Structures are given as C-alpha cells and as structure tokens.
Amino acid sequence: MTPDAHQRVVRVNLGHEGSAAAGDRSYDVVIGAGVLGEIGPRLKAATDRAITGAMLVIDTGVPRTFVERARGSIASVCPVIGEVAITPSEKGKSLATLDVILQTMTRARLERSGVVVCIGGGIVGDVGGFAAGVYRRGIGVVQCPTTLLSMVDASVGGKTGVNLSLGTRDTDLKKNMVGVFHQPRLVVADVHTLDSLDTRTFACGVAECLKHGLLGAQCGDPGLWSWTLSAISDGMLGEDAALIELVARNIAIKARVVECDEFEDKPPAAGDIGRLALNLGHTFGHALETIPGLSPDGNPSHAPLEHGEAVALGMVAAARCAHALGLCDAGLASEIIAGLRGVGLPTGGLGAALPPAERVLDAMMDDKKVLDGSLRLILPKRARAGDPVRVVTVDEPARNTVIGAIEMLR
Ligand code: GLY
C-alpha cells in the first residue's frame, strides 16, 4: 500500500472548520495500475470501525476479471454479501433501479456499518452512491470508476442521484433531478480498467481533462494545459505512467474545486473557483446532446453524440464566444481544437442535422445555470494566473455571439 511510481494518492479535504456541514468528510483517491487488488486493506485503513459487509453495485460492461480482483480484496476484510449488476443507460438510471439496489441491500440485511462498493462508469457510481446515501439514512460508499470520464469527474465530489421520467418522450427524462451529496469514503481508480474502453469512450474522458487543463492555473497546476496537449500530440496516453499522471493531476483539479464549493452553492466570485466552473462547455453540450440525429461526424448512422463529444463541441463554441467577447485570443480556440482533434473528438462539421442555432439556444435555456430567465455561460479566459473562466450573462448583444458560435459548428 505504499505509494510508488505506479500509484498516486490525492487527498480530498472536506468538512474542515468553516465548512457548511459539520463532520470530517475527507477521503483518499488512489490512482494506479492494478490498485483494485488493494481495495480491501485500503478500505479498512479508511474506516475507524469494523466493516460488517459489502454490497457490490457493478456495471455489466466491466470485464469480470476486474470485478473478481476487487471482490477478492474486499473479501479479505469483510464478507461480500451481495451484488447488483446494472446495464448503464440514462433511462435505467432511475428510481426503479435504485429500488432494486435498496431491496437487495435490505434482503441481505446490510447493516449501517456496511458499505456499498460501486465498480463501473458514472451511471453506476451515481445510482449506487445514491443508494448508499439514503439506505438506513446513509452508509459508506467506495467508488471504483472504470472509465476515464468517471475517474476524473463523477467519482470525486459526492454528487449522486438518478433521472426522473415524466413521460415516454426523450425530453421527458429530467437528468439528475433526484439525489443527495454523499461523499465516498475512498475512491480507487485502476488505470488498467481503461484498457477495456473503446477509443470513442476513452476520448470522451479526454474532453473533461482538457476542460480541467483550462482551470489548472487557478487550482495549483498551471502546467496541466500544456502537459495534456503534449501528451495527446506525442501519443503518450496509452502508457500506464502517463495515464496515472493524467488521472491524478485531473483528480487533483476536481478535488480543489470541490473543496472550495462542496455543495455547489458558492456564487461565482473573482479569485475563487466554484463548481460552476466545471460547467465550461456543458451548457452548449447538454443542448446538443438532446438533439436527435446529431453525430460526431455529420453521419446520421453514427448518432447520437456521446456526452464527452457534446462537451467537446461545447468547449469549441465557448472558446469562440470568449474570443468574440474579448476574453481570450483566437489561439485558445485553436489549441482546444487541436487537443480535441488529437483524440478524435468532434470540433464541428455537424452538417444539416444541426437545427437552426436559435433552436439550440432555446434548448440551452433548460440549463441549471439559468437565473431569473437569463442564460449564464461559463467562458474560458486566457489566464496563466487569476480567474480561468468568466460567467457571462447572455444579454441581447451576447446573444448574437452565441448564435454565431453555434452556427460555426455546422
Ligand atoms: N460534474 C460536476 C460536479 O461534480 O460538480
């Protein structure tokens, strides 16, 4: 368990003096090659009383060898009393799936001193984490993310929840409408699980890494942006050492943001970074994701867009808006485009499937950052120090800039 060149540990410090909620909620994120095989002793070390049982919530897409490696290690410290397998989908991220997990935990008589261990991508972590957050009013959860996206984003920060369906149409699915903040006790990110991802899924995680790179100057890692661009252009992201560095540095960015704003209730302020900054590219991206028939290369048979692909396009649009509004030079958009293209992410060319920009802007009005009917965008600044993003309210002049940036994705 001693950290070595093949593993890194990032501490997330939460619940210190002055925090909005009492109690120490700090935890370690262990990043390395093969670290799923250490989860049991790590869990024991992270818990101050005996763990009486573990319930596994696993993603059916995770190769069984990884699940067995984790299970064997957990079994060395406590009984594994059950397992729920989930096929990840936004429709299945539901109250019905939550109910299945809670019933399995209840039938297995999982006690308050038990834990839920989630092994999989963001959907499994969200629904399993939510089950842990509400079962017997809250028990421990360990997150074992197996996609790059869930490693660098969802597994850290304690957001859990499910979607709510108001009807049968796609637009009736209200994402993450029900949930709780429930910080994990431990996060174990084994980069060997990334070998099982297809290139498209892996690239989606790189989109979030590039976003974090833009926040690096404010979060103690000003070199992350150029390191990430070089790692992509030099083709280093297939190697364990580079992957461990990528994941650890990105988790450290996420950790610093969450430490500043655990409950996403911090108003944006100069010199301070809040969770809103993590929405860079996401307002455009979420709207693009809801448009049927959109594909990363304009070919309808490759539709729909993956979340990371939509965020990639959103980052390009956000950078173009930022340039038009004088927040950064044109070079920033070019660097973003080069980084995204380097891993095969889309940066435009959506073609005829992209509806008129006005309609995309209308879909953006569903965003959670809309305040008093006004859309607010997170736009990047070229900041080597100081605020890396600016929250811009989309008033009438800015509206034309946004429309122009959406049109350029066609
Ligand atoms: N994924 C955004 C956040 O954790 O706040």
Side-chain angles (χ1 to χ4, degrees):
M1 285 191 355
T2 320
D4 56 29
H6 298 292
Q7 60 178 251
R8 302 264 286 268
V9 178
V10 175
R11 183 81 177 159
V12 186
N13 290 301
L14 293 170
H16 38 78
E17 217 179 309
S19 160
D24 187 4
R25 293 179 299 287
S26 303
Y27 51 96
D28 281 344
V29 184
V30 182
I31 305 111
V35 283
L36 274 176
E38 293 181 14
I39 181 171
R42 292 250 177 218
L43 176 58
K44 193 167 178 209
T47 314
D48 51 13
R49 58 183 174 160
I51 306 157
T52 51
M55 172 69 62
L56 307 188
V57 178
I58 60 165
D59 190 320
T60 50
V62 175
R64 199 66 212 174
T65 46
F66 294 119
V67 176
E68 291 309 327
R69 190 174 301 161
R71 179 188 264 273
S73 181
I74 297 164
S76 71
V77 298
C78 72
V80 177
I81 62 166
E83 181 177 313
V84 181
I86 294 176
T87 304
S89 75
E90 288 296 341
K91 281 216 171 87
K93 185 178 157 179
S94 63
L95 288 170
T97 303
L98 176 73
D99 191 41
V100 169
I101 300 172
L102 292 173
Q103 288 208 29
T104 310
M105 286 153 76
T106 307
R107 283 183 217 286
R109 298 203 169 122
L110 188 68
E111 298 175 358
R112 289 213 75 226
S113 49
V115 290
V116 174
V117 180
C118 305
I119 307 174
I123 288 180
V124 164
D126 277 7
V127 67
F130 188 20
V134 294
Y135 179 74
R136 294 181 189 261
R137 300 196 175 87
I139 65 169
V141 62
V142 179
Q143 295 287 0
C144 304
T146 59
T147 64
L148 181 57
L149 182 57
S150 59
M151 284 182 186
V152 300
D153 186 14
S155 69
V156 175
K159 281 189 180 175
T160 73
V162 296
N163 303 327
L164 204 60
S165 181
L166 302 182
T168 51
R169 291 170 309 175
D170 284 350
T171 47
D172 290 332
L173 196 67
K174 302 297 170 193
K175 287 208 185 164
N176 301 320
M177 198 48 90
V178 192
V180 291
F181 283 97
H182 188 56
Q183 299 294 342
R185 280 216 192 129
L186 173 70
V187 180
V188 176
D190 189 335
V191 297
H192 278 166
T193 62
L194 302 178
D195 295 345
S196 60
L197 301 183
D198 59 62
T199 47
R200 199 170 162 187
T201 307
F202 180 81
C204 285
V206 178
E208 298 288 344
C209 294
L210 284 163
K211 179 196 77 181
H212 284 157
L214 292 169
L215 308 179
Q218 183 83 355
C219 299
D221 192 353
L224 181 59
W225 178 246
S226 47
W227 180 85
T228 310
L229 291 179
S230 305
I232 291 170
S233 61
D234 297 348
M236 279 156 52
L237 293 184
E239 299 158 18
D240 277 357
L243 280 174
I244 292 167
E245 179 158 2
L246 178 78
V247 174
R249 289 175 76 166
N250 276 275
I251 284 176
I253 300 284
K254 177 82 194 261
R256 298 298 83 82
V257 176
V258 170
E259 284 167 356
C260 283
D261 185 17
E262 183 181 354
F263 300 107
E264 200 171 38
D265 53 4
K266 194 170 202 167
D272 234 349
I273 193 142
R275 277 178 107 140
L276 266 190
L278 298 172
N279 276 273
L280 202 161
H282 284 58
T283 311
F284 290 98
H286 286 150
L288 294 169
E289 269 177 294
T290 63
I291 298 167
L294 270 193
S295 71
D297 55 2
N299 179 343
S301 65
H302 295 158
L305 282 180
E306 298 285 342
H307 172 72
E309 292 166 345
V311 168
L313 292 159
M315 283 170 58
V316 173
R320 288 194 176 128
C321 285
H323 175 228
L325 296 171
L327 296 176
C328 64
D329 53 36
L332 187 59
S334 308
E335 284 176 34
I336 291 172
I337 289 171
L340 297 169
R341 282 197 184 145
V343 288
L345 283 163
T347 57
L350 296 181
L354 183 70
E358 297 275 353
R359 266 188 46 208
V360 180
L361 183 54
D362 191 50
M364 287 163 72
M365 292 304 289
D366 273 339
D367 190 82
K368 66 181 175 186
K369 292 181 296 306
V370 169
L371 194 66
D372 286 338
S374 293
L375 178 62
R376 294 177 304 155
L377 288 177
I378 312 295
L379 300 184
K381 285 168 65 185
R382 174 72 84 173
R384 296 284 172 226
D387 305 336
V389 294
R390 172 82 59 84
V391 183
V392 172
T393 301
V394 182
D395 54 14
E396 212 41 49
R399 200 170 184 280
N400 290 334
T401 304
V402 175
I403 296 273
I406 296 168
E407 256 326 307
M408 283 181 80
L409 297 177
R410 194 181 300 283

